[in-house]
Amino acid sequence: MESALEVFVAQGYHAAAMDDIAERAGVSKPVLYQHFPGKLDLYLALLDQSCDTIIANTRVALESTHDNKQRVAATMDVFFEYVAGDTGAFRLVFESDLTSEPAVREQVDRVTTECAAMIAHVIHDDTGLPDDASRLLAVSLVGMAQVSARFWLSDPGAISKSDAAALVAGLAWRGIRGYPRADEH
């Protein structure tokens, strides 16, 4: 799996070859096919693993405190940590060259859907906003986290990861705190 991740991240799905993956893993191509019937199956397994990681880390961030300002900061940190990871796995989730494949699109959308659902639950519980409004705000926060983290990584500026995450968390917090807690009405 590590070898396949390296090849897919470096070459993209279309340019990656099962021969390259087998060679990098130190196995024969038939052995590789014993575990994965095809390149798409291998890619989907890696994608699923990558999506699970960011969703699980978002859950941990949200459950780490009941202080919403700290929740926003912890959640933004999740996305910045994820894109800064050594493996480049975020490219499978956020920069896939295979998003026209329905199974891939479903996995990629799962990150936004599941992370936003967790955040929407917190927004709804704390503000009393309707589910649809809470979900829209949550998707907006997830989008802000994804796009800004990817931009930070691609921009060779002088902003450290922690400073970048703190800047975006500050922006998000200044916006979301405008929705008062239901117990403050």
Side-chain angles (χ1 to χ4, degrees), residues 107-170:
Q107 286 294 338
V108 170
D109 289 346
R110 183 170 71 93
V111 170
T112 300
T113 302
E114 291 190 25
C115 290
M118 289 183 281
I119 294 167
H121 180 72
V122 172
I123 292 170
H124 173 76
D125 285 355
D126 284 357
T127 65
L129 285 171
D131 289 338
D132 288 344
S134 297
R135 191 169 43 254
L136 179 60
L137 291 172
V139 167
S140 299
L141 291 170
V142 170
M144 180 188 294
Q146 288 178 11
V147 171
S148 60
R150 287 181 19 239
F151 175 80
W152 165 80
L153 186 66
S154 70
D155 184 31
I159 301 175
S160 71
K161 177 175 52 72
S162 61
D163 287 347
L167 279 169
V168 176

Side-chain angles (χ1 to χ4, degrees), residues 37-56:
K39 184 166 81 167
L40 180 59
D41 299 295
L42 177 54
Y43 188 85
L44 287 170
L46 286 167
L47 182 59
D48 188 52
Q49 185 178 52
S50 295
C51 292
D52 286 348
T53 297
I54 196 162
I55 291 166

Side-chain angles (χ1 to χ4, degrees), residues 29-105:
K29 196 169 160 183
V31 168
L32 188 57
Y33 279 112
Q34 286 176 348
H35 297 281
F36 300 97
K39 184 166 81 167
L40 180 59
D41 299 295
L42 177 54
Y43 188 85
L44 287 170
L46 286 167
L47 182 59
D48 188 52
Q49 185 178 52
S50 295
C51 292
D52 286 348
T53 297
I54 196 162
I55 291 166
N57 290 346
T58 299
R59 181 176 293 107
V60 168
L62 290 171
E63 293 173 352
S64 68
T65 182
H66 290 290
D67 179 295
N68 286 333
K69 183 177 182 181
Q70 290 176 6
R71 279 180 172 154
V72 169
T75 303
M76 290 301 165
D77 281 340
V78 164
F79 284 88
F80 279 83
E81 282 291 329
Y82 184 70
V83 301
D86 292 339
T87 66
F90 81 94
R91 295 191 190 286
L92 298 180
V93 180
F94 300 135
E95 298 176 0
S96 176
D97 61 347
L98 195 61
T99 55
S100 61
E101 169 65 40
V104 171
R105 181 83 255 152

